[in-house]
Amino acid sequence: CHGNGVGGAPMLNDASVWEARIAQGQQTLYDHAINGYQGQVGYMPAKGGRMDLADEEVIAAIDYMLEQVPN
């Protein structure tokens, strides 16, 4: 989803859309990714719709994604 913007997902290569999200702190990003979140622009399904993933796997995916966002 974050590779092509499906469902309003912020794309990894667009630092401007991540700035405000990152400013909320990693714990908020983890919470939204694990539990789901309805934003003004799109919807983050809990665990990306993969309820078989452990919370730690979702956190690792968030950490990876944050490393991919351009500075």
Side-chain angles (χ1 to χ4, degrees):
C1 297
H2 295 282
N4 56 16
V6 169
M11 297 194 35
L12 289 177
N13 63 355
D14 187 351
S16 66
V17 298
W18 284 94
E19 188 175 314
R21 290 170 172 86
I22 291 170
Q24 294 180 55
Q26 282 182 268
Q27 290 303 318
T28 298
L29 292 174
Y30 297 154
D31 178 63
H32 289 173
I34 292 168
N35 300 306
Y37 179 75
Q38 176 68 54
Q40 293 180 3
V41 177
Y43 171 69
M44 173 66 201
K47 296 186 176 186
R50 291 281 314 271
M51 298 309 290
D52 59 314
L53 295 175
D55 290 356
E56 293 77 19
E57 292 174 297
V58 176
I59 289 170
I62 295 299
D63 290 342
Y64 171 80
M65 288 173 46
L66 291 175
E67 292 173 3
Q68 305 309 304
V69 175
N71 293 327

